[in-house]
Amino acid sequence: MSSKIIFSNYHIPDFKVDIAVILEKVCDSKMLGNLSLNQFCDSYKAQSGLNNISIGNKKDLFEIYESLLSDMFQNIDIDPLKIGYIIVTEPQNSIIDGISLPHYFQKKFNMFNSTIFTLQQQCAGSLMICGLSNSLIKKNNPYTLILSSCYIDKVEERYMGFSIVGDGAGIMLIGQSQNGCEIVDSDSISDGLYSYNKYNRIEEEINRLSIVEKGCDLVTGVLNRNSLTNNEIVKFIPQNINKYAYERIYSSILELESEKMFIKNISDGGHVGDVDFIRNITDYLKSNTKSGYFIAYGLGTNGTDVNYSVLLLKN
């Protein structure tokens, strides 16, 4: 019996700022070239699809997670004692004022049989946990709870070049159940080329196209393994990073119609790290009851080494 995504929900702060505010703080003459700041901002918006980013306070995570978890336990019939694992995807946000968020909520919601640990895969943590879901089955405790958040303190750390990071949090419950979105298959891979080159003093610029191609190869491999064609995929759900990259580059390499790309959340809130996957899956499943196969894809990187992850899902 395959594991399923049983529940997911997220919180994006109501406070939003135009990405021009961020770009104004990080732009220099080299970035602008011959463009004025306004021209650069307009061009960046058109290419990335970003409009605004969400900004919140990390200390609000106590109230946010409490609200999300209360909603989960009110809406699905699940015994908290059957949650075998609580996994946190961004360890830097898991302790606030000396208090461990996952341990606090384990006690508050009576999840006493759970083991708590963190998984650092940058922006691909939740995807990878779903891929490992069939291995995360404790005897008599078949559920895994994911706590994911993204909160950035410094403005300059929000700008990634090809995208801008916003704040937010999400939860996801996976495990064996009669109900939910089936995790049919998965694959993941890591690439340590950057660290290898740096250690050996090999100067080589990061090739973004090769990163895209490697991710697409992983997607194609999962489809081939399941004897599926691109035409049988009803939706491709990536992270909220860059509209042009998905509509033009990924869709071209994968030979998918650009309309199959789920990119409607890019403009509102920005790239919210690992929360993107939870947000996009939640919105897609709420708006689409049609049965079919779809792909969730993401990569995690801090600008150096890369972790790729792909899920084949069935609604």
Side-chain angles (χ1 to χ4, degrees), residues 139-237:
K139 186 178 181 180
N140 300 322
N141 305 121
Y143 305 113
T144 294
L145 176 66
I146 302 171
L147 302 180
S148 178
S149 64
C150 179
Y151 282 83
I152 305 296
D153 295 324
K154 298 178 181 178
V155 172
E156 58 270 21
E157 292 178 354
R158 294 187 181 276
Y159 180 71
M160 300 169 57
F162 49 84
S163 194
I164 299 176
V165 180
D167 296 335
I171 67 171
M172 178 174 283
L173 185 73
I174 58 177
Q176 295 190 342
S177 172
Q178 296 298 320
N179 303 313
C181 173
E182 182 182 358
I183 302 171
V184 179
D185 198 3
S186 66
D187 204 356
S188 60
I189 194 170
S190 298
D191 186 345
L193 179 63
Y194 176 89
S195 290
Y196 178 85
N197 285 346
K198 187 171 184 179
Y199 180 83
N200 289 288
R201 295 182 174 84
I202 301 172
E203 293 187 8
E204 183 177 349
E205 290 188 9
I206 296 175
N207 186 327
R208 289 182 181 172
L209 180 58
S210 69
I211 291 175
V212 173
E213 290 173 337
K214 192 161 189 172
C216 290
D217 286 344
L218 204 65
V219 173
T220 302
V222 170
L223 293 178
N224 291 341
R225 192 162 64 213
N226 289 274
S227 301
L228 292 171
T229 66
N230 295 346
N231 292 332
E232 294 173 275
I233 299 302
V234 297
K235 202 60 124 180
F236 184 93
I237 304 179

Side-chain angles (χ1 to χ4, degrees), residues 61-77:
L61 278 172
F62 285 101
E63 294 179 6
I64 292 167
Y65 279 139
E66 181 169 352
S67 175
L68 293 173
L69 289 168
S70 295
D71 180 58
M72 181 184 79
F73 284 114
Q74 288 170 8
N75 283 281
I76 61 173
D77 183 19

Side-chain angles (χ1 to χ4, degrees), residues 70-173:
S70 295
D71 180 58
M72 181 184 79
F73 284 114
Q74 288 170 8
N75 283 281
I76 61 173
D77 183 19
I78 178 176
D79 182 354
L81 294 176
K82 292 200 176 285
I83 294 177
Y85 295 96
I86 301 173
I87 306 178
V88 181
T89 64
E90 291 294 338
Q92 68 270 25
N93 294 329
S94 65
I95 298 178
I96 299 176
D97 295 334
I99 301 170
S100 167
L101 285 166
H103 289 85
Y104 169 77
F105 287 112
Q106 179 200 42
K107 173 70 173 176
K108 184 172 182 63
F109 288 97
N110 301 318
M111 297 180 283
F112 299 125
N113 289 329
S114 60
T115 300
I116 298 170
F117 66 92
T118 61
L119 179 70
Q120 178 58 282
Q121 289 286 309
Q122 283 85 37
C123 304
S126 294
L127 276 160
M128 181 161 288
I129 294 167
C130 287
L132 296 171
S133 58
N134 284 329
S135 300
L136 294 170
I137 303 297
K138 277 187 178 181
K139 186 178 181 180
N140 300 322
N141 305 121
Y143 305 113
T144 294
L145 176 66
I146 302 171
L147 302 180
S148 178
S149 64
C150 179
Y151 282 83
I152 305 296
D153 295 324
K154 298 178 181 178
V155 172
E156 58 270 21
E157 292 178 354
R158 294 187 181 276
Y159 180 71
M160 300 169 57
F162 49 84
S163 194
I164 299 176
V165 180
D167 296 335
I171 67 171
M172 178 174 283
L173 185 73

